[in-house]
Amino acid sequence: MIFDPLWLILTIPPALFALWASWRTKSAYTQFSKVGARSGVTGAEVARRLLDADRLREVAVEAVPGQLTDHYDPRDRTLRLSEGVFASRSIAALGIAAHETGHALQHADGYRPLTFRQAFFPVAAFSSKAWVWLLIASYFLGRSSPELGSTLVLAAAGLAAVYALFAIVTLPVEFNASRRALLMLESTRMLDAEELTGAKKVLDAAALTYVASAAQAVMTVIYLLARSRNR
C-alpha cells in the first residue's frame, strides 16, 4: 500500500499538514508557556473557579504526568491537567485549562456532538484498527479470489468511514470548547485582551491537529473506495 502512487497522492498532503499542525501547536505552547498571566492564577485554579462558577463542584481537577496530556473524562467527571498546566501561571496554561473546562460544561449542558462522540468512541476505536487488518486480509485472499479481495477492501472502507465520522464530529466539540474557554477567560478577566490573543493562538493551533486528523481519515476512505473499484 505504501508504494501505491494513489495512496501517496492522497495521504502525503494531509500527513504534511498534520506535521505542520503538530509543530505549530508545540511552538505556540512553548512560546506562551513562558509568558505569565497578570492575574497570577494557575491552570488548576482557573479550572476550579470556572467549574464552581457554573455549579460543577462535583467535577474533580487532577494533575496527570506528561506534556499536553490534558483532557476531561466524562465517565468519572474528572478534569485532568498535565504537569505543565496544573501548577503553571502561564497564558498557555490558563487557555488549556479553560478549554478542558469547556468540555466539562459541554457535558453538563448535554452538548449533542460531545454526547455522540462519547457514545460512539468504542465503535470508532475498534474501526480505526480493524480496517487495517481487513486491508491486509484482502491482499492475501484477493490473490486467489479477486471478488473476495474487493469485498474486503470495501468493508475496510466502511470501517475507515466510521472512524472518519468520529474524527469529523470531534471538530465542533473542540472548536466549541475553545470558544467557551476564551469567553470565560474574558468575562472573568483572568486574561486581559492582549493575553487572550496569546491563548487563542495556542487553542487555534491545537485545533488544527484535529482538522489534520479528520483530513487524513477522509483521504483514507477515498483511497480504499478507489482501490475496491480498481481490483
Side-chain angles (χ1 to χ4, degrees):
M1 182 175 69
I2 61 175
F3 300 110
D4 188 335
L6 179 60
W7 171 256
L8 296 177
I9 291 172
L10 290 175
T11 61
I12 285 180
L16 292 175
F17 178 57
L19 289 174
W20 175 77
S22 178
W23 170 82
R24 184 173 174 181
T25 300
K26 292 179 180 178
S27 178
Y29 174 77
T30 299
Q31 178 184 355
F32 291 101
S33 64
K34 298 177 181 177
V35 183
R38 296 184 180 90
S39 61
V41 295
T42 67
E45 290 171 340
V46 165
R48 186 71 272 159
R49 291 184 188 183
L50 295 179
L51 289 169
D52 290 348
D54 275 86
R55 299 180 181 178
L56 296 178
R57 295 179 177 84
E58 69 279 9
V59 176
V61 179
E62 300 178 352
V64 292
Q67 185 181 69
L68 297 177
T69 51
D70 313 87
H71 64 280
Y72 169 70
D73 191 338
R75 294 170 299 181
D76 59 6
R77 305 197 71 180
T78 301
L79 197 158
R80 296 184 172 90
L81 301 177
S82 61
E83 297 169 339
V85 171
F86 188 87
S88 174
R89 304 177 191 277
S90 70
I91 292 174
L94 270 62
I96 293 171
H99 173 88
E100 299 306 330
T101 303
H103 286 312
L105 298 183
Q106 289 174 338
H107 188 206
D109 294 342
Y111 183 63
R112 289 185 178 180
L114 177 67
T115 301
F116 176 82
R117 187 179 74 166
Q118 181 184 355
F120 199 56
F121 176 76
V123 177
F126 168 80
S127 299
S128 67
K129 298 177 177 62
W131 77 262
V132 178
W133 291 106
L134 282 180
L135 186 62
I136 293 173
S138 74
Y139 176 77
F140 292 102
L141 298 178
R143 292 180 174 181
S144 57
S145 176
E147 183 177 350
L148 176 59
S150 295
T151 300
L152 289 174
V153 175
L154 188 60
L159 290 174
V162 170
Y163 178 73
L165 175 61
F166 176 81
I168 292 171
V169 171
T170 295
L171 297 180
V173 174
E174 297 301 327
F175 292 149
N176 178 265
S178 291
R179 183 180 64 82
R180 290 176 185 241
L182 294 172
L183 289 174
M184 288 187 293
L185 290 171
E186 181 179 24
S187 63
T188 57
R189 298 183 180 179
M190 292 185 187
L191 292 180
D192 60 29
E194 180 182 355
E195 293 168 335
L196 278 170
T197 300
K200 187 175 187 301
K201 288 182 179 179
V202 174
L203 297 182
D204 286 350
L208 288 176
T209 62
Y210 293 99
V211 175
S213 178
Q216 288 178 305
V218 170
M219 287 303 181
T220 296
V221 175
I222 293 174
Y223 168 75
L224 292 173
L225 289 174
R227 183 166 175 172
S228 69
R229 294 175 181 175
N230 293 333
R231 291 186 66 90

